[in-house]
Amino acid sequence: MISRRSLLAGSLAAPFLAHASARAQVNADIDVAIIGAGAAGLHAAQQARAQGLTARIFEARNRVGGRVFTDTSLGSDFEAGAFYIHWSETNPWTEIAKNLGTEAITDSGLWGGFDVFSNGRRLTGEERSRRRGGFWRLANVLDGEPTDVDMSFGEAARRVSPDQPEAASGMTLLSLGEDADRVSIRDYQRLDAGDDLVLPRGYGRLLERYAEGLDIALATPVSAVDFSGAGVQIETPRGTVRARAVIITASVNVLKSGAIRFTPELPAETRSAIDGLGMGALTKLALKFEGTKFGQSSWTQFFDSSSRGDLVNFEFWPWGNDLVVAHFGGDYARSVAAQGEAAAVEHMLGRFVAILGEDARKAFRGGRLAGWSADPYALGGYSIAKPGQSQARDALAMPVANRLWFAGEASAGAGSMTAGGAALAGARAIAMIRKVI
Ligand SMILES: Cc1cc2nc3c(=O)[nH]c(=O)nc-3n(C[C@H](O)[C@H](O)[C@H](O)COP(=O)(O)OP(=O)(O)OC[C@H]3O[C@@H](n4cnc5c(N)ncnc54)[C@H](O)[C@@H]3O)c2cc1C
C-alpha cells in the first residue's frame, strides 16, 4: 500500500489530495476490482500484483481472454479474435510471450498470394488495377501528415478518388470492420505503427497462460458499480464486493448498452466520450474442409464482393491447418452474425462455393462463427472514433472521482483497437491507482 508521503511525491498528487484524506474510511474487501479478463484486465491484474495491490477480476464469460480467443472446437486452432502482436517493438505482449516461453515470429512468411472476385467471378486484370488505383491514393493520404480537419475515410476517398469511392470501404471494412463514412481518419492516423509478430500456438493461449494464478471470478457479470460512497461497490450475481477502486474494461458498446449501471451517473465528459466512440463489427467465420486444399497454399486470400458491396476475405489454411477463415465487417457482418451460427455458416459456405464450385460442399465438415457484434459481452469487434471525435479516447481514459478507471482498448490512445493497447491501458490505470490508494 502506498504511503501518504509517496502519494504527495507522485506527479498526480495534487488532484487527488481531497480523496487521500478520505482514504482511511474506505472499508474494502480488495484494493482493485477489475471488470473483464481480456488483455486489459489481465495485464492490470498482473501489474497490481507486482505493485503489492490486491486485485480480483470479475469476468462475465466462463473463459479468460475476451476478444483474444483461440477456439479449438472444430479440432483445429481458429484464432477467433486478435491474431497479430501489432507494433511488436513496444507491445507488452512481445515481452510477455518471451517471458512465458511462447514462440512469437515475424509475419513476413504468412503470404500465399491473393485473388479478387465479384459475386464469385474472378476480376479481369483491368478491373483489378482500377480498384488498386483508388486504394493506393487513399493509402497515401493515410500515410501522409495528419489532416487539418478531421473527416471520415469515405470523405477522404471521395476527395482523392472521386471515381473510386469504394476504395475506402475496401480498406475500412476488412481492417476496422466498419463502413468508411463512420470512421475518423485522424484517429486512425494517430495509431502506433511498427512490425507485427504472430503466435503459432495462438494469441488466445498466450492470454490463458498469462491468467494463471490470478484471482479471477469467471461467469460473474458485473451489473452495477456504485461509487457514491468513499470506495466502490460492485454488484454481481454472487453478491456485492467493496473495493477502493475499479477498472472497467468492458467494450464501448457494452458500456453504451447500459449492462453496467453506474451510481451516481457518470460525468458528462465520460458519457460524451463514450458517445463519440463506436465499434466496428470485424467478424471471422471458420469453414472446415477435409480431403482437398482446392489447389491453394496456406495464407492465400480470396477477396469477393457482392453486387451490394458486401466484402469478404477468405483466408486459406492458416498454419497449414484444415480451415478457411472468412473475414468480413460492417453492416453486412452485423446482419450475418445476427442470423445465428448455423445460418451464418450456411451463408458463408454459399459464397465460398460460388467461387470454388459445388464440390466444395462435399469436402465441408463444419463451421464456427465468431460473431463479436452479436456477442453480448463484446457487442462489436473493436472501437472506432467517429469522424470529428478523435479526442474521445483520451477523455475516456480520464479517471472518474479517483475511483473509476476506464481501461479497455478504446481508451488506449495510439494503441487503441489492439490487445497491446488494452494491456497498456490496464497498466496505466494501475499506475495511477497506486498513487491514490
Ligand atoms: C476479429 C478481430 C480481430 C482482431 N485482430 C486483432 C489483432 O490482430 N491484433 C490486435 O492487437 N487486436 C486485434 N483485435 C482487437 C483486440 O482483440 C482487442 O482490442 C482487445 O482484445 C481488447 O481487449 P480488452 O481487454 O480491452 O477488451 P475485451 O477483450 O473485450 O475484454 C473485456 C472483458 O470484459 C468482459 N465483460 C464485458 N461485460 C462484462 C460485465 N458486465 N461484467 C464482467 N465482465 C464483462 C468481457 O467478457 C471480456 O472478457 C481484433 C478484434 C477482433 C474482434
Side-chain angles (χ1 to χ4, degrees):
M1 204 67 57
I2 198 160
S3 71
R4 176 101 186 200
R5 198 158 61 100
S6 55
L7 177 73
L8 288 169
S11 59
L12 292 163
F16 295 125
L17 286 178
H19 176 63
S21 61
R23 181 194 176 289
Q25 285 139 39
V26 178
N27 189 8
D29 306 309
I30 46 175
D31 292 325
V32 191
I34 300 173
I35 303 178
L42 294 176
H43 198 51
Q46 290 286 9
Q47 294 297 309
R49 171 188 273 186
Q51 309 247 351
L53 298 172
T54 53
R56 184 174 310 145
I57 303 183
F58 300 88
E59 168 54 54
R61 301 174 199 272
N62 57 10
R63 63 164 179 83
V64 302
R67 285 170 275 162
V68 187
F69 177 42
T70 309
D71 184 340
T72 56
S73 57
L74 285 174
S76 309
D77 286 2
F78 166 37
E79 206 69 87
F83 180 80
Y84 296 97
I85 301 183
H86 291 303
W87 35 274
S88 56
E89 301 85 343
T90 50
N91 190 317
W93 294 106
T94 306
E95 185 71 15
I96 295 166
K98 193 168 152 211
N99 291 342
L100 292 176
T102 300
E103 187 186 18
I105 59 173
T106 166
D107 66 336
S108 58
L110 314 190
W111 180 241
F114 73 101
D115 216 333
V116 190
F117 301 81
S118 173
N119 290 313
R121 174 187 67 82
R122 182 174 275 112
L123 293 192
T124 64
E126 194 192 322
E127 286 169 319
R128 280 176 60 162
S129 72
R130 222 166 58 82
R131 285 185 185 217
R132 265 200 305 272
F135 187 88
W136 288 117
R137 276 191 292 280
L138 180 57
N140 282 338
V141 174
L142 294 173
D143 278 349
E145 286 298 306
T147 46
D148 290 342
V149 182
D150 193 15
M151 65 184 106
S152 69
F153 273 70
E155 178 59 26
R158 284 188 286 277
R159 288 184 186 198
V160 293
S161 294
D163 57 329
Q164 283 282 291
E166 69 273 20
S169 291
M171 197 174 271
T172 59
L173 285 173
L174 293 180
S175 60
L176 307 177
E178 189 51 289
D179 294 295
D181 283 325
R182 299 183 193 148
V183 188
S184 156
I185 190 171
R186 183 177 287 173
D187 182 59
Y188 185 83
Q189 285 179 305
R190 91 184 259 216
L191 294 180
D192 282 332
D195 291 335
D196 294 342
L197 291 178
V198 288
L199 298 145
R201 295 280 299 137
Y203 213 153
R205 283 207 187 85
L206 175 63
L207 267 69
E208 276 172 32
R209 284 204 58 202
Y210 195 50
E212 281 168 19
L214 291 173
D215 181 356
I216 305 177
L218 290 178
T220 309
V222 172
S223 55
V225 172
D226 184 335
F227 61 107
S228 56
V232 185
Q233 294 209 54
I234 308 294
E235 293 294 334
T236 81
R238 295 161 203 255
T240 303
V241 178
R242 291 164 306 172
R244 294 184 190 282
V246 60
I247 294 178
I248 301 138
T249 72
S251 76
V252 163
N253 279 357
V254 169
L255 295 175
K256 282 184 201 242
S257 76
I260 304 172
R261 194 176 65 253
F262 291 92
T263 308
E265 196 178 14
L266 292 172
E269 296 78 12
T270 310
R271 283 186 280 127
S272 105
I274 294 169
D275 281 348
L277 299 169
M279 286 185 86
L282 195 63
T283 301
K284 294 189 193 176
L285 188 151
L287 300 171
K288 184 181 171 86
F289 296 96
E290 257 174 33
T292 174
K293 292 284 186 198
F294 304 112
Q296 305 302 327
S297 55
S298 274
W299 308 110
T300 297
Q301 300 184 41
F302 278 10
F303 296 87
D304 183 46
S305 66
S306 74
S307 344
R308 294 191 327 182
D310 297 336
L311 264 183
V312 59
N313 172 18
F314 291 106
E315 183 179 55
F316 287 79
W317 327 126
W319 305 116
N321 68 23
D322 52 6
L323 304 179
V324 173
V325 179
H327 301 238
F328 47 113
D331 287 343
Y332 169 57
R334 291 183 181 97
S335 71
V336 171
Q339 293 167 28
E341 185 168 74
V345 168
E346 185 53 35
H347 167 81
M348 208 44 83
L349 179 63
R351 287 193 70 166
F352 188 73
V353 164
I355 300 172
L356 273 300
E358 275 299 325
D359 276 358
R361 262 185 217 284
K362 293 185 198 135
F364 175 65
R365 291 293 175 274
R368 184 100 304 144
L369 168 70
W372 298 102
S373 57
D375 174 333
Y377 300 123
L379 294 175
Y382 44 88
S383 63
I384 51 99
K386 297 176 184 172
Q389 299 290 333
S390 60
Q391 79 299 338
R393 298 188 184 285
D394 296 339
L396 182 63
M398 294 303 288
V400 175
N402 296 332
R403 268 163 284 163
L404 269 61
W405 272 263
F406 289 91
E409 54 85 12
S411 70
S416 293
M417 307 177 181
T418 69
L424 289 173
R428 179 176 172 278
I430 289 295
M432 288 199 277
I433 289 170
R434 183 76 173 83
K435 289 192 160 101
V436 293
I437 69 171

